[in-house]
Amino acid sequence: MPKVAESTVRRLSLYLRFLEEFEEQGTATVSSEALASRGGTTSAQVRKDLSFFGSFGKRGLGYQVAELASRLRQILGLGGRYSVALIGAGKIGTALFEHHGFRDRGFDIVAIFDRDPAKIGSVWSGIAVSDVAELERVLTANPVDIAILVTPADAAQEIADRLVRLGIKAILNFAPVQLNVPHEIAVRTVNLVLELEALSYALTNR
Amino acid sequence: MPKVAESTVRRLSLYLRFLEEFEEQGTATVSSEALASRGGTTSAQVRKDLSFFGSFGKRGLGYQVAELASRLRQILGLGGRYSVALIGAGKIGTALFEHHGFRDRGFDIVAIFDRDPAKIGSVWSGIAVSDVAELERVLTANPVDIAILVTPADAAQEIADRLVRLGIKAILNFAPVQLNVPHEIAVRTVNLVLELEALSYALTNR
């Protein structure tokens, strides 16, 4: 599989959303222009993004919706299920846990950790919140594919180090720090303040 | 001001975080290598990012921490305060409202909207939740700089259209759709499912 940019992967996800809406409506084919409008991009970009992964579509006929959706799910590694550990059971952690979109797309939160004694032992939809000190014991007994890190900044790197030692290969990081992990570990960082600062920049430099 | 990529703006925010930590520690100068490690990048990239905005630092001496931090705050449009409307008072909206990082960086949520009668009229830290039907009345009386959109997918575009008509120039979008707005409106979309799909892609294509 070729090494493709994160922005390409993001657009593939958006194209897949659109194709799935088309599938629900019973639409059989879609043009690269229609996919482009969904991804906020151009039809040339759509053709380039898809060309990384082989030949799709016929000139003048567009793409077969069901076939392309199926191929994109395969490329994105969807279709199966991933088990996920949530580390940090505060407000944002709670909101993520209750986010139906995760389960709908195949991501199951199966373990929850916190360091707050008031939270440890409480049960969320059948999952007991574990002490983060028990991370190794719990995740060795029941390994997960992905960790979602929603800790304060000062705790994040130490926990990331422990997750890497546990063999976890993918981290979704909400802590406001840049994690330092081996390059083979996939990390996506969502930093809400940085997003607002990008808007501040845009407002200032119009 | 030059047109710079979103990824550059993001790194500037990260450099600023690091410089502020150095300021707190009383460190006077910092090398491009040290800034690079914080931004997850190279020293050549740091020098290139900063070169967009003029000449900083002296060869062999590094950057003056206080001077560069001040300049980055200016470039990013920070230092003043922005008023923010939160549209959608569900779980994620609540978590965002209680996120101290926003206020700390100058972003004040001053209006909250929802369409749920059970939420309308409830008071959050002194701010009454308004009916989203009242968006025009409330935001005309008390204009805001930025809107944070945390609505279901099916409501997001209609509300974005109304925000644009109200003259709002910047939207932080958590709804799982690509908003269609005029190009002069700054939009940042945080799509949590897409972030997990990027990890799924990485796990599948290692």
Side-chain angles (χ1 to χ4, degrees), chain B residues 7-38:
Chain B
S7 54
T8 304
V9 176
R10 189 180 174 84
R11 284 192 300 272
L12 296 180
S13 285
L14 289 170
Y15 303 153
L16 176 58
R17 273 321 146 282
F18 193 41
L19 290 164
E20 288 177 338
E21 286 173 22
F22 268 37
E23 274 186 311
E24 280 174 25
Q25 295 161 13
T27 307
T29 61
V30 63
S31 65
S32 52
E33 287 76 15
L35 281 177
S37 80
R38 177 62 167 207

Side-chain angles (χ1 to χ4, degrees), chain A residues 1-2 4 9-10 13-14 16-17 38-40 53 74-78 82 91-92 94-96 98-99 101-102 105 107 145-146 148 169-172 174 176-178 184 186-206, chain B residues 1-2 4 9-10 13-14 16-17 38-40 53 74-78 82 91-92 94-96 98-99 101-102 105 107 145-146 148 169-172 174 176-178 184 186-206:
Chain A
M1 199 58 73
V4 303
V9 176
R10 187 180 176 82
S13 285
L14 289 171
L16 176 57
R17 273 320 146 284
R38 177 62 168 206
F53 303 98
Q74 189 187 354
I75 290 167
L76 290 167
L78 304 173
Y82 291 98
K91 294 280 174 189
I92 291 180
T94 308
L96 295 174
E98 295 179 359
H99 190 305
F102 290 169
R105 301 303 295 177
F107 301 94
D145 304 301
I146 296 171
I148 302 181
K169 301 295 186 213
I171 300 173
L172 178 55
F174 286 82
V177 292
Q178 199 77 359
E184 70 271 19
V187 176
R188 301 283 303 179
T189 296
V190 177
N191 187 320
L192 302 172
V193 173
L194 291 200
E195 300 297 339
L196 278 176
E197 290 189 0
L199 293 179
S200 166
Y201 174 84
L203 287 172
T204 306
N205 299 284
R206 276 183 293 161
Chain B
M1 198 60 75
V4 303
V9 176
R10 189 180 174 84
S13 285
L14 289 170
L16 176 58
R17 273 321 146 282
R38 177 62 167 207
F53 303 98
Q74 189 187 355
I75 290 167
L76 290 168
L78 305 173
Y82 291 99
K91 293 281 175 192
I92 291 179
T94 308
L96 295 174
E98 295 179 358
H99 190 306
F102 289 168
R105 302 302 295 176
F107 301 95
D145 305 301
I146 296 172
I148 302 182
K169 301 296 184 211
I171 300 173
L172 179 56
F174 288 82
V177 292
Q178 200 78 358
E184 70 273 18
V187 175
R188 301 283 305 179
T189 296
V190 177
N191 187 321
L192 302 171
V193 174
L194 291 200
E195 300 297 339
L196 279 176
E197 290 189 2
L199 294 179
S200 165
Y201 174 84
L203 288 171
T204 306
N205 298 284
R206 275 182 293 162

Side-chain angles (χ1 to χ4, degrees), chain A residues 12-28 30 35 38 64-74 76 78-79 101 104-106, chain B residues 176 193-194 197:
Chain A
L12 296 180
S13 285
L14 289 171
Y15 302 153
L16 176 57
R17 273 320 146 284
F18 193 42
L19 290 164
E20 288 177 339
E21 286 173 21
F22 267 36
E23 273 186 312
E24 281 174 24
Q25 294 161 13
T27 307
V30 63
L35 282 176
R38 177 62 168 206
Q64 297 290 324
V65 168
E67 181 194 340
L68 184 56
S70 167
R71 187 74 181 96
L72 285 180
R73 275 190 287 266
Q74 189 187 354
L76 290 167
L78 304 173
D104 293 347
R105 301 303 295 177
Chain B
V193 174
L194 291 200
E197 290 189 2

